[in-house]
Amino acid sequence: MRREVLFSAVACTVWLCCLSIRPVQGGKLLVVPMDGSHWLSMKILVKEIVNRGHEVLVLVPESSLLMSESESFKKQFYPVQFTQAEMEGSFKSLSDGVFQKPPQIADMLLSVELFVNFTKLQLRGCESLLHNQQLMSQLRDSGFDAVLTDPFLPCGSILARVFSIPAVYFLRGLPCQLDTRANMCPSPPSYVPSTYSGYPSAMTFSQRVNNMFMYFVETYMCHLLFGHYDEFVRQYFREDMTYTDLISHGAIWLLRYDFVFEWPRPVMPNMVFIGGINCMSRSPLPADLAEFVEGSGDDGFIIFTLGSMVSKMPAEIAKQFLEAFRQIPQRVLWRYTGVPLENVPENVKLMKWLPQNDLLGHPKAKVFMTHGGTHGIYEGICNGVPMLMFPLFGDQGENVRRFVARGVALSLNIHDVTSDELVTALNTIVQDKGFKERMMKLSQVHLDRPLSPVDLSAFWTEFVMRHKGASHLRVAAHDLNWIQYHSLDVIGLLVMVIVTVLWVTLKCCLFCTRRCCRKRTAKKKSE
Amino acid sequence: MRREVLFSAVACTVWLCCLSIRPVQGGKLLVVPMDGSHWLSMKILVKEIVNRGHEVLVLVPESSLLMSESESFKKQFYPVQFTQAEMEGSFKSLSDGVFQKPPQIADMLLSVELFVNFTKLQLRGCESLLHNQQLMSQLRDSGFDAVLTDPFLPCGSILARVFSIPAVYFLRGLPCQLDTRANMCPSPPSYVPSTYSGYPSAMTFSQRVNNMFMYFVETYMCHLLFGHYDEFVRQYFREDMTYTDLISHGAIWLLRYDFVFEWPRPVMPNMVFIGGINCMSRSPLPADLAEFVEGSGDDGFIIFTLGSMVSKMPAEIAKQFLEAFRQIPQRVLWRYTGVPLENVPENVKLMKWLPQNDLLGHPKAKVFMTHGGTHGIYEGICNGVPMLMFPLFGDQGENVRRFVARGVALSLNIHDVTSDELVTALNTIVQDKGFKERMMKLSQVHLDRPLSPVDLSAFWTEFVMRHKGASHLRVAAHDLNWIQYHSLDVIGLLVMVIVTVLWVTLKCCLFCTRRCCRKRTAKKKSE
């Protein structure tokens, strides 16, 4: 079968014919997003929902990082008990923390600390919203059909419960696998590696032992990470419920991942996979950038960014990078927002922001230098560009391990990287064609899906709005407690029955044996 | 949000752009179908694959029931060791068996017997194909990209293994849940009812106990049902493998069901749900039929069929039906192929075959009288027609229970049905508007999907042809044995470690206590 690369989209018909109901005047969607990079991909879906003729209201705290910028959709600002400076400080402490070079073993604890500190401020914002009586009654009266939210924060799920409307979740995943736990999705520890294990899906015996241990640790981590969420939810509803209970009512989980990258595992019918939603559309490059990359010749260019959250790089580390870039033939586009650098080589262009996905889509893009954040990795896969990775925090370590295991990336420790290591790694990736070929294969499988992630996520959001939920996809497991779910009560009963039967049988046998013996003894005596 | 019923299909773009590879000259697909009603839905997909420009070859035994009829696609007939009469006899014994009124408790055993007897002849056909050296080498040389098959019979899976090409499975499910077992899909017995239990997903404690017991029975039934398949596979490959091992290599499982009807449960990433594939397209009714149904006035008409497999109904039972139909105002279209009936009322039209889906789609269709076969039920849901059901064998009992539980159908026992019962049931369904309303709700949710089942199944078949499988969706669980999968070895080790630690601690404590006691005793003595 001959194949070729096509650069056009094909059309198909959708089966919303016959008896299907469709909103005519459009539905009403309440959007409760999470700030920062999470918002960057959620707004792609929000724009699509607006384009499809629905009324959308996005709730934005008055002090926010990326959410207040002008967009075509309607926003409702609400006052919060913290200032813009406090909020920016909170993000900064999160991003600064990544260069505090933690010892390997404390990585997990550092992540817990960063998460709790960061979310505590966000919860205060959530509190301001929930106790804003005027806004709450205005929202209630608006008659929304559904809430679209990121369960990284509890506000959206709480509003869904307060207004008795279904919730659509939009996320990559939650720490300690809280999302799969809440959605009752089975995760057999024999082949589903825990987030922090760094193991592949096919594990050795000792890895499986460690993985089982990590599952217990993760369960404990859920208490550390979401304990203050549980408290928040309990206080608000004055009910004995946890955050897990609250989000277990999510109608549809739109998950920003794809099994071309994640290890395949059991899923639930209400989990929809929209990995790569952020690399769908590409715009032409601005003139100066286009000139810079086109002028890179056959050597091509490199894109270097540590994500929108990380801005401050220690001067010593930055120097190593500059030194390395001086020694390579490629041009380099570096998203850099730290202190001004001196002696920047001619082949390096520093920028405060760069159109990452548009650049990765350029045929001359040779290497993507990234921290392994969830957005960047899918843009890398999508555009088939091999990577040099510098994991910083959270799930990035695990992301990077997977890419390295697939032979499409190399990884370096940013805390003690040297210019020599950088040059060697970059040259290896550029010269060993295997990196590019394997990445292209990943890319082809990733892109070969029946519906685009944007259309798919918009469809399911509309579905929830049309049918007031997706109750036919909700498993009955949600109504079982831990003992019932694992059938421990049933197993207990069966064991009891078996033991009783065995005991009665044994007693009967003993009784019969004794009678026989007695009879014989009596017979002997009488004889 | 105002809504209205739309009768048109809408279009969307598919995300096969950018870097995605597409076959240009078309792929080559080998189709190994199962005869009878299974073939009727598989050929919808086969036609679509042909329409998409691929080369398709359908393997058909020289003696077959429904597969030899003229179709647009290429067929390869192969000689088998049984005659057309034998084959028809085999199907007849299967259909005749359904009126042998089995006692309730023996239903399961009768199903096992029917299945084994029926498949033994089919396996002989499979044997003829596999030992046809000339045909086998011709097929091998053809260089197929994939096999599309129904794992109800092993021939297709065996060919996929012999030719080292991936297999796409097309099925509703296999007896004793062999499909989910083979695909390593978790089925927690606490909320996934076993096929023959007849329980809902939300079970009481006693139902959960019974369900657990049924799981053990089902495991045993797998040996009864597929023991001869295991033997067949072992003999052919001269390897110690089971049929489950063989089909566990399926790349994609196209499953003809939908959670609007099935109880929601965990699924695997390579399971694709295409329930309702058989009710997609509708043709205009032939003139005589159109006249008959249009003339039914406001009372409408009833469609009565017991499926393509069942033809012979005992005269006594047929009489009860005729008597009932005489008493109702609706017209009746009855698919009847038994002995000629006398005194057929004017409102009844007997036909050897009827366009079931086209009739169900007619607005005057009031009730669908059916045995609850997998094709009919989805046509009923699809067209929103409430049902009067007569379960006969196999999974029909379970299908019917679910419809009755959802309040969209009534069920009667065909073995001792009376005309009075029939009249009451039909009048109830027609007059109680709840039946129609609930069925319409089911229908709306069922039809509201992002892609039609035909497009979805064609996409995944093409995907497997393009990428030589779907290895990124295959879980690592396939490489684990039963003990490893359930982490019993890991749990064993952990228990051993805990017991050892406790034992050592206990021994240390005892040792210390004894030493202390001895010292005190010695001290006392010395005092």
Side-chain angles (χ1 to χ4, degrees):
Chain A
M1 187 165 51
R2 225 165 50 98
R3 307 176 190 290
E4 71 175 19
V5 178
L6 279 194
F7 282 80
S8 68
V10 294
C12 80
T13 54
V14 172
W15 197 46
L16 287 170
C17 54
C18 310
L19 299 161
S20 172
I21 46 166
R22 306 281 300 161
V24 175
Q25 291 182 324
K28 292 180 90 171
L29 183 70
L30 180 63
V31 181
V32 190
M34 158 69 200
D35 207 348
S37 61
H38 288 220
W39 168 239
L40 296 180
S41 44
M42 188 191 262
K43 76 174 177 185
I44 299 172
L45 169 59
V46 176
K47 274 183 192 167
E48 178 65 23
I49 296 289
V50 171
N51 287 344
R52 291 183 178 212
H54 302 283
E55 198 182 316
V56 170
L57 182 70
V58 185
L59 290 183
V60 182
E62 277 183 355
S63 308
S64 79
L65 199 71
L66 300 174
M67 296 196 295
S68 52
E69 64 186 83
S70 164
E71 292 286 347
S72 57
F73 35 77
K74 203 171 141 191
K75 284 191 281 290
Q76 170 71 56
F77 290 90
Y78 59 90
V80 285
Q81 293 164 342
F82 50 84
T83 61
Q84 181 74 16
E86 268 183 281
M87 198 274 314
E88 280 174 12
S90 159
F91 270 89
K92 196 169 170 292
S93 68
L94 191 67
S95 59
D96 286 354
V98 303
F99 284 109
Q100 283 169 4
K101 195 184 176 181
Q104 201 67 17
I105 207 162
D107 193 29
M108 206 186 270
L109 289 173
L110 180 78
S111 295
V112 171
E113 201 187 327
L114 283 172
F115 179 87
V116 173
N117 287 344
F118 179 73
T119 50
K120 270 186 177 164
L121 190 83
Q122 302 285 330
L123 280 196
R124 275 171 55 199
C126 193
E127 210 171 356
S128 308
L129 166 67
L130 296 170
H131 290 100
N132 186 334
Q133 295 301 335
Q134 193 190 345
L135 177 58
M136 285 293 279
S137 60
Q138 179 193 320
L139 292 175
R140 186 191 298 272
D141 295 344
S142 300
F144 289 103
D145 295 301
V147 170
L148 171 68
T149 189
D150 185 332
F152 191 85
L153 288 180
C155 329
S157 319
I158 292 177
L159 288 184
R161 190 180 159 92
V162 170
F163 301 149
S164 302
I165 50 176
V168 177
Y169 294 145
F170 187 98
L171 66 161
R172 195 280 170 108
L174 290 176
C176 76
Q177 299 197 43
L178 194 79
D179 50 326
T180 50
R181 286 168 199 258
N183 202 28
M184 300 305 279
C185 180
S187 304
S190 50
Y191 72 97
V192 179
S194 74
T195 319
Y196 283 91
S197 70
Y199 294 144
S201 191
M203 289 178 266
T204 62
F205 177 70
S206 63
Q207 285 176 331
R208 286 196 292 114
V209 172
N210 283 342
N211 196 48
M212 176 75 93
F213 177 72
M214 294 294 284
Y215 263 64
F216 294 129
V217 173
E218 251 186 1
T219 308
Y220 177 65
M221 271 184 66
C222 272
H223 291 285
L224 294 182
L225 289 163
F226 293 100
H228 57 311
Y229 281 44
D230 292 343
E231 193 55 37
F232 188 85
V233 168
R234 255 194 297 271
Q235 276 188 358
Y236 188 78
F237 288 110
R238 296 171 199 274
E239 265 182 56
D240 185 26
M241 73 188 307
T242 62
Y243 185 54
T244 317
D245 296 336
L246 179 70
I247 59 172
S248 73
H249 291 275
I252 291 288
W253 294 73
L254 301 172
L255 294 154
R256 284 192 289 107
Y257 60 76
D258 180 21
F259 290 111
V260 78
F261 174 66
E262 305 287 331
W263 303 117
R265 48 159 298 149
V267 298
M268 293 310 249
N270 64 345
M271 287 161 73
V272 178
F273 302 98
I274 54 161
I277 190 169
N278 49 315
C279 70
M280 268 224 62
S281 59
R282 223 180 279 150
S283 311
L285 293 174
D288 59 331
L289 268 188
E291 197 187 320
F292 184 80
V293 300
E294 289 297 343
S296 64
D298 289 343
D299 291 317
F301 67 97
I302 289 165
I303 302 118
F304 179 24
T305 162
L306 297 177
S308 57
M309 300 282 289
V310 180
S311 55
K312 196 175 153 191
M313 180 187 278
E316 188 47 43
I317 297 178
K319 211 178 130 190
Q320 296 296 329
F321 278 95
L322 279 188
E323 202 49 49
F325 294 152
R326 203 184 305 278
Q327 299 171 47
I328 56 168
Q330 286 79 26
R331 288 191 172 180
V332 179
L333 279 160
W334 183 355
R335 182 191 177 277
Y336 183 82
T337 51
V339 286
L341 293 175
E342 287 172 6
N343 297 324
V344 178
E346 272 188 11
N347 63 332
V348 177
K349 192 178 175 79
L350 300 179
M351 299 178 76
K352 288 211 183 305
W353 177 88
L354 45 80
Q356 186 170 290
N357 192 48
D358 302 336
L359 284 168
L360 286 166
H362 194 282
K364 284 188 192 292
K366 296 290 175 192
V367 184
F368 179 28
M369 293 170 70
T370 171
H371 60 310
T374 59
H375 291 85
I377 55 175
Y378 277 101
E379 288 175 2
I381 297 175
C382 197
N383 294 295
V385 182
M387 307 182 190
L388 177 56
M389 309 184 84
F390 308 92
L392 296 173
F393 63 98
D395 54 2
Q396 294 161 9
E398 174 55 21
N399 294 344
V400 169
R401 268 190 288 266
R402 286 189 207 166
F403 275 108
V404 173
R406 280 173 170 83
V408 296
L410 289 178
S411 165
L412 289 173
N413 187 339
I414 205 161
H415 303 295
D416 50 20
V417 72
T418 65
S419 57
D420 286 348
E421 283 174 339
L422 283 166
V423 172
T424 311
L426 287 170
N427 285 340
T428 308
I429 296 171
V430 172
Q431 284 156 17
D432 180 350
K433 299 292 173 212
F435 281 89
K436 179 73 182 173
E437 283 167 14
R438 287 185 290 266
M439 196 53 153
M440 283 303 291
K441 269 195 183 164
L442 270 194
S443 185
Q444 285 159 356
V445 175
H446 171 66
L447 292 173
D448 202 355
R449 279 183 279 174
L451 216 63
S452 86
V454 175
D455 283 331
L456 193 61
S457 52
F459 170 83
W460 281 108
T461 309
E462 286 185 306
F463 182 96
V464 170
M465 289 160 75
R466 274 196 290 274
H467 301 283
K468 307 283 177 205
S471 57
H472 69 300
L473 300 179
R474 182 178 170 81
V475 291
H478 288 289
D479 305 320
L480 301 175
N481 62 34
W482 188 80
I483 291 175
Q484 291 168 328
Y485 177 81
H486 292 284
S487 296
L488 297 183
D489 50 353
V490 174
I491 292 169
L493 181 80
L494 293 181
V495 168
M496 226 168 70
V497 168
I498 291 168
V499 169
T500 311
V501 168
L502 285 179
W503 188 79
V504 170
T505 315
L506 190 75
K507 279 284 166 190
C508 287
C509 289
L510 282 176
F511 178 74
C512 295
T513 319
R514 268 180 214 153
R515 279 199 80 151
C516 285
C517 289
R518 263 184 220 161
K519 271 186 186 170
R520 272 187 205 161
T521 320
K523 212 175 174 185
K524 272 185 188 171
K525 273 184 185 173
S526 66
E527 278 171 3
Chain B
M1 187 164 48
R2 227 167 47 103
R3 307 176 191 290
E4 71 175 18
V5 179
L6 280 194
F7 282 80
S8 69
V10 293
C12 81
T13 54
V14 173
W15 198 47
L16 286 169
C17 55
C18 311
L19 298 161
S20 173
I21 45 167
R22 307 279 303 159
V24 174
Q25 292 181 326
K28 292 182 89 172
L29 184 70
L30 180 64
V31 181
V32 190
M34 159 70 200
D35 208 347
S37 60
H38 289 221
W39 169 239
L40 297 180
S41 44
M42 188 192 263
K43 76 175 176 186
I44 298 171
L45 169 59
V46 176
K47 273 183 192 167
E48 177 65 22
I49 295 289
V50 172
N51 288 344
R52 290 183 179 214
H54 301 284
E55 198 182 318
V56 170
L57 182 70
V58 185
L59 289 183
V60 181
E62 277 183 355
S63 309
S64 79
L65 200 71
L66 301 173
M67 295 196 295
S68 52
E69 63 186 76
S70 167
E71 291 287 347
S72 56
F73 34 77
K74 202 171 142 193
K75 285 191 281 288
Q76 170 71 58
F77 290 91
Y78 59 91
V80 285
Q81 293 165 339
F82 51 84
T83 61
Q84 182 73 18
E86 269 183 282
M87 198 274 314
E88 279 173 12
S90 159
F91 269 89
K92 197 168 167 292
S93 68
L94 190 67
S95 58
D96 285 354
V98 303
F99 283 109
Q100 283 171 5
K101 195 182 176 181
Q104 201 67 16
I105 206 161
D107 193 27
M108 207 186 270
L109 289 174
L110 179 78
S111 294
V112 171
E113 200 187 328
L114 283 172
F115 180 88
V116 173
N117 288 345
F118 178 73
T119 51
K120 270 186 178 165
L121 188 83
Q122 301 285 330
L123 280 196
R124 276 170 56 200
C126 193
E127 209 171 357
S128 308
L129 167 66
L130 295 170
H131 291 100
N132 187 331
Q133 295 300 333
Q134 194 190 344
L135 178 57
M136 286 293 278
S137 59
Q138 181 193 321
L139 292 174
R140 185 191 298 273
D141 295 344
S142 300
F144 289 104
D145 295 302
V147 170
L148 171 67
T149 189
D150 185 333
F152 191 85
L153 287 180
C155 327
S157 319
I158 292 177
L159 287 184
R161 189 179 160 92
V162 169
F163 301 148
S164 302
I165 50 176
V168 177
Y169 295 144
F170 187 99
L171 66 161
R172 195 273 170 118
L174 290 176
C176 77
Q177 299 196 44
L178 194 79
D179 50 327
T180 50
R181 285 168 199 257
N183 202 28
M184 301 304 281
C185 181
S187 303
S190 50
Y191 72 97
V192 179
S194 74
T195 319
Y196 283 91
S197 70
Y199 294 143
S201 191
M203 289 177 267
T204 62
F205 177 70
S206 63
Q207 284 177 330
R208 286 196 293 113
V209 172
N210 284 342
N211 196 48
M212 176 74 94
F213 178 72
M214 294 294 283
Y215 263 64
F216 295 129
V217 173
E218 251 186 2
T219 308
Y220 177 66
M221 270 184 68
C222 271
H223 290 286
L224 294 181
L225 289 163
F226 292 100
H228 57 311
Y229 281 45
D230 293 342
E231 193 56 35
F232 189 85
V233 168
R234 255 195 297 272
Q235 276 187 359
Y236 188 78
F237 288 111
R238 297 172 198 275
E239 266 182 54
D240 185 26
M241 73 188 307
T242 62
Y243 185 53
T244 316
D245 297 335
L246 179 70
I247 59 171
S248 73
H249 291 276
I252 291 288
W253 295 72
L254 302 171
L255 294 153
R256 283 193 289 107
Y257 60 76
D258 181 20
F259 290 111
V260 78
F261 173 67
E262 304 288 332
W263 303 117
R265 49 161 296 150
V267 298
M268 293 309 247
N270 64 343
M271 287 162 75
V272 178
F273 302 98
I274 54 161
I277 190 169
N278 49 314
C279 69
M280 267 224 64
S281 57
R282 222 180 279 150
S283 311
L285 293 174
D288 59 330
L289 267 188
E291 197 187 320
F292 184 80
V293 300
E294 287 297 342
S296 64
D298 288 343
D299 291 317
F301 67 97
I302 289 165
I303 302 116
F304 179 24
T305 161
L306 297 177
S308 57
M309 300 283 289
V310 180
S311 54
K312 196 176 153 189
M313 181 186 277
E316 187 47 43
I317 297 178
K319 212 178 128 189
Q320 296 296 329
F321 278 95
L322 280 188
E323 201 50 49
F325 295 151
R326 203 184 305 278
Q327 299 172 47
I328 56 170
Q330 286 79 25
R331 288 191 171 179
V332 179
L333 279 160
W334 184 356
R335 182 191 176 276
Y336 183 83
T337 51
V339 285
L341 293 176
E342 286 171 6
N343 298 325
V344 177
E346 272 188 10
N347 63 334
V348 177
K349 190 176 175 80
L350 299 180
M351 299 178 77
K352 288 211 184 306
W353 177 87
L354 47 80
Q356 186 170 290
N357 191 47
D358 303 336
L359 284 168
L360 286 166
H362 194 284
K364 286 189 193 290
K366 297 289 177 193
V367 185
F368 180 28
M369 293 171 69
T370 171
H371 59 310
T374 59
H375 291 85
I377 55 175
Y378 277 101
E379 288 174 4
I381 296 176
C382 197
N383 294 295
V385 182
M387 308 181 189
L388 177 56
M389 310 183 85
F390 309 91
L392 297 172
F393 63 97
D395 55 1
Q396 294 160 10
E398 175 54 23
N399 294 343
V400 169
R401 269 190 288 265
R402 286 190 206 167
F403 275 108
V404 173
R406 280 172 170 83
V408 296
L410 289 177
S411 166
L412 289 173
N413 187 342
I414 203 159
H415 303 294
D416 49 21
V417 71
T418 64
S419 57
D420 287 347
E421 283 174 341
L422 283 167
V423 172
T424 311
L426 287 171
N427 285 340
T428 307
I429 296 171
V430 171
Q431 285 156 17
D432 180 349
K433 299 292 172 210
F435 281 90
K436 178 73 181 172
E437 282 166 15
R438 287 185 289 267
M439 196 54 152
M440 283 303 290
K441 269 195 184 165
L442 269 194
S443 185
Q444 285 160 356
V445 175
H446 171 66
L447 291 173
D448 201 357
R449 280 183 281 173
L451 215 63
S452 85
V454 175
D455 283 331
L456 193 62
S457 52
F459 170 83
W460 282 108
T461 310
E462 286 185 307
F463 182 97
V464 170
M465 289 159 74
R466 274 195 291 274
H467 301 283
K468 306 286 178 202
S471 57
H472 69 301
L473 300 179
R474 182 177 171 80
V475 291
H478 288 289
D479 306 320
L480 301 175
N481 62 34
W482 187 80
I483 291 175
Q484 291 168 328
Y485 176 81
H486 292 284
S487 295
L488 297 183
D489 50 353
V490 174
I491 292 169
L493 180 79
L494 293 181
V495 168
M496 226 167 69
V497 168
I498 291 168
V499 168
T500 310
V501 168
L502 286 178
W503 188 79
V504 169
T505 315
L506 190 75
K507 279 285 165 187
C508 287
C509 289
L510 283 176
F511 179 74
C512 294
T513 320
R514 268 183 212 151
R515 279 199 78 154
C516 284
C517 290
R518 264 186 219 159
K519 271 186 185 170
R520 272 187 205 163
T521 321
K523 212 176 173 183
K524 273 184 187 172
K525 274 185 183 174
S526 68
E527 279 171 3

